[in-house]
Amino acid sequence: MSTRITMPSEEQLSPGPLRELISGLHRLYLDAGAPSSRQVSTAIEADSGARGGPSHETVSAILRRPVQVPRWENVQSMVRTLAAWSHRRPDIDAEVSRFHQLWQAAELAPAAGEGDTGAPWHTDPGDYIRPLPKAMAALTEPHSFVALLEQMENEGQDGLLAPLAAALWRQPHSAKYCVEVMDEFHSKGRPKLAHTVMIAGALCDQFQELSAELRALERREADQVLETAHRYMPLQRVWEYARTLASAPKKPDGAALARPLFEDMTRHRDPSEIVNLLASTEVQTATAGQEQLADTLLSAIATTYDEEQLLELTDHMRDAGLAEETSRLWRGIAEERTPLAPVLRAMRDNERTWEATAVLRRLFCQLLVSRFQDDVARRTARMSAVLDELPKAGLYEETETLLQLIADHYRSAEHPDGLYRNLLAPYRL
């Protein structure tokens, strides 16, 4: 049974033509029985009439968290496949025509509203890390980049605006200076340039300083900077920034400083993005001191991701061969997820009871990675809370599984702890 992808909330995708397009795709997706993104992409690959060839990551991203209007080729391909599987048996060509109207409305909406919203320019992180021509990249004076931004806008060279704005933030200047540059652009009637400089700041390590500076000035853009950073900053950059926090001098528990960052930065990310980060060389080759940072990342995901995202994430992790990371994620869920019952119910409903058992088994010390210290009192207190929670949620099989695991552990221990026996006493085991 596949894990159903839910429609983005209005907080994640504001009302408008794009939301209407994605909402229509979700209705068709449910009519088709909520197939997995892999099933959809595989069927598209075999469809000779499909104009696009979206990967399963792209299919998932379009349904879950569209950053921008998806390409028509991908929408057309998804509509053909989902319509063919729909219980309504609609005419496929008619469905494609209907969705083309929705797509066209979404595609034209940004251009129509640009003057009203102060140039809501693109926030694609890839645009801000593009290399500049050598002559531009060699410049060091900030006023040179400011002048080039104006020149490139005058010449219609919009493709250079984002990397030029990013270069401005790479210079050793404060967020206060860049806010002054933004205000200067606004005063000259150049809102696109002001917005681009702000987005570049939101996607760099100084995003918190920029937000704080704007908040001190009582500017509404302060929240927009944080939202942009949380949703769009490349996760590789997030990891690099977290490493600087964790390695800060006189900060013995640096990983704890990085945890709020990981929670904010991963909450709305597609599972494929998380897997790409976990499989990256930077994380896979983390030093002994950075392993705790990787566990902090997994722990943050375990407590903030919703149930469906967690199931999809473990699917992707298994496909990527991240077995050890999956085990550590299960441990984070077992030890820190509150309430735990919704996750276990989602696993059961998706015929993944083995995974629910794997999570429950990680409440026990013998399955901990050796570098982690064990605290029996804390661990048994957690088990007691879970034993109280599960039957109240109607998860009787999971309750029985946990009781049996505790009993087996107690009976096999060379020196069984009395705290485990106390857990079993009310059940006469």
Side-chain angles (χ1 to χ4, degrees):
M1 183 183 297
S2 62
T3 304
R4 183 172 68 85
I5 301 173
T6 57
M7 176 69 190
S9 66
E10 290 193 359
E11 178 185 350
Q12 296 169 320
L13 183 61
S14 302
L18 178 55
R19 183 173 182 82
E20 292 179 11
L21 170 64
I22 302 304
S23 178
L25 281 173
H26 265 273
R27 286 193 292 271
L28 191 58
Y29 164 75
L30 291 176
D31 287 346
S36 70
S37 57
R38 287 186 181 278
Q39 289 175 317
V40 175
S41 63
T42 300
I44 290 173
E45 187 176 353
D47 182 5
S48 60
R51 293 185 55 188
S55 65
H56 68 91
E57 291 95 342
T58 300
V59 171
S60 176
I62 290 174
L63 290 171
R64 186 184 296 284
R65 190 183 59 83
V67 176
Q68 56 191 358
V69 179
R71 294 170 49 201
W72 167 244
E73 290 85 352
N74 290 338
V75 174
Q76 184 259 10
S77 303
M78 290 175 62
V79 169
R80 283 181 58 87
T81 293
L82 295 175
W85 292 345
S86 172
H87 73 93
R88 295 184 291 107
R89 296 292 186 268
D91 181 271
I92 293 178
D93 291 335
E95 284 291 273
V96 169
S97 295
R98 180 171 71 88
F99 273 90
H100 187 268
Q101 295 178 357
L102 293 172
W103 173 84
Q104 193 172 45
E107 181 71 12
L108 295 176
E114 187 170 359
D116 299 329
T117 59
W121 219 45
H122 54 77
T123 55
D124 184 350
D127 291 332
Y128 292 83
I129 60 175
R130 288 175 54 195
L132 286 168
K134 290 184 178 180
M136 292 183 180
L139 298 173
T140 57
E141 295 297 325
H143 63 78
S144 300
F145 291 105
V146 173
L148 278 172
L149 281 165
E150 295 186 13
Q151 179 183 341
M152 293 302 101
E153 185 184 38
N154 292 338
E155 296 178 3
Q157 299 288 335
D158 283 0
L160 288 171
L161 298 186
L164 279 170
L168 184 64
W169 280 97
R170 283 197 294 270
Q171 304 306 311
H173 295 285
S174 66
K176 182 177 181 180
Y177 169 78
C178 288
V179 171
E180 292 173 355
V181 172
M182 291 163 52
D183 290 343
E184 180 182 351
F185 283 144
H186 277 302
S187 67
K188 292 180 178 181
R190 293 178 178 268
K192 179 188 289 185
L193 296 185
H195 187 82
T196 306
V197 171
M198 183 186 73
I199 297 301
L203 297 176
C204 79
D205 292 349
Q206 299 183 56
F207 72 96
Q208 292 174 321
E209 290 86 344
L210 173 58
S211 179
E213 181 68 26
L214 291 169
R215 197 173 304 282
L217 297 171
E218 299 182 351
R219 300 267 286 272
R220 60 181 177 81
E221 296 103 311
D223 290 334
Q224 185 180 354
V225 167
L226 289 181
E227 182 180 356
T228 299
H230 294 166
R231 290 180 179 273
Y232 303 115
M233 182 182 287
L235 288 181
Q236 297 280 6
R237 176 69 66 84
V238 176
W239 174 258
E240 293 170 5
Y241 182 49
R243 285 176 58 185
T244 64
L245 292 177
S247 60
K250 300 180 181 179
K251 299 288 186 181
D253 195 10
L257 296 175
R259 176 156 187 141
L261 176 73
F262 286 144
E263 290 177 347
D264 290 337
M265 293 293 196
T266 60
R267 191 185 306 273
H268 302 295
R269 301 303 181 107
D270 188 84
S272 60
E273 289 185 74
I274 302 293
V275 170
N276 288 337
L277 175 63
L278 293 174
S280 67
T281 302
E282 291 81 356
V283 178
Q284 288 293 310
T285 59
T287 63
Q290 294 168 358
E291 286 182 337
Q292 186 179 3
L293 188 63
D295 281 293
T296 301
L297 168 62
L298 288 165
S299 176
I301 295 169
T303 55
T304 58
Y305 246 33
D306 65 36
E307 294 79 29
E308 293 171 359
Q309 285 178 304
L310 283 172
L311 293 187
E312 186 176 353
L313 176 62
T314 53
D315 279 341
H316 287 307
M317 292 172 71
R318 186 164 50 251
D319 291 343
L322 299 174
E324 180 184 344
E325 289 77 6
T326 303
S327 179
R328 289 151 66 187
L329 178 67
W330 284 336
R331 192 193 69 236
I333 295 171
E335 294 187 342
E336 300 188 57
R337 184 86 177 195
T338 302
L340 182 61
V343 177
L344 299 179
R345 181 182 292 108
M347 291 174 175
R348 182 188 64 186
D349 291 346
N350 284 272
E351 299 179 359
R352 293 163 70 160
T353 53
W354 65 270
E355 200 162 356
T357 302
V359 169
L360 293 173
R361 284 176 60 83
R362 275 146 185 85
L363 288 169
F364 293 87
C365 59
Q366 73 267 30
L367 288 174
L368 284 175
V369 179
S370 59
R371 64 178 176 273
F372 291 92
Q373 296 181 351
D374 184 39
D375 181 342
V376 174
R378 180 186 61 81
R379 192 166 301 283
T380 53
R382 171 64 171 169
M383 291 185 191
S384 178
V386 172
L387 284 172
D388 183 60
E389 175 192 350
L390 296 186
K392 291 179 180 178
L395 299 179
Y396 303 110
E397 291 184 14
E398 289 76 6
T399 304
E400 183 64 25
T401 296
L402 180 55
L403 286 170
Q404 191 60 55
L405 288 170
I406 296 172
D408 291 344
H409 172 74
Y410 179 74
R411 291 164 184 159
S412 63
E414 184 176 351
H415 301 288
D417 194 288
L419 291 173
Y420 289 104
R421 182 183 60 200
N422 293 340
L423 290 175
L424 298 171
Y427 302 92
R428 300 181 182 275
L429 290 177

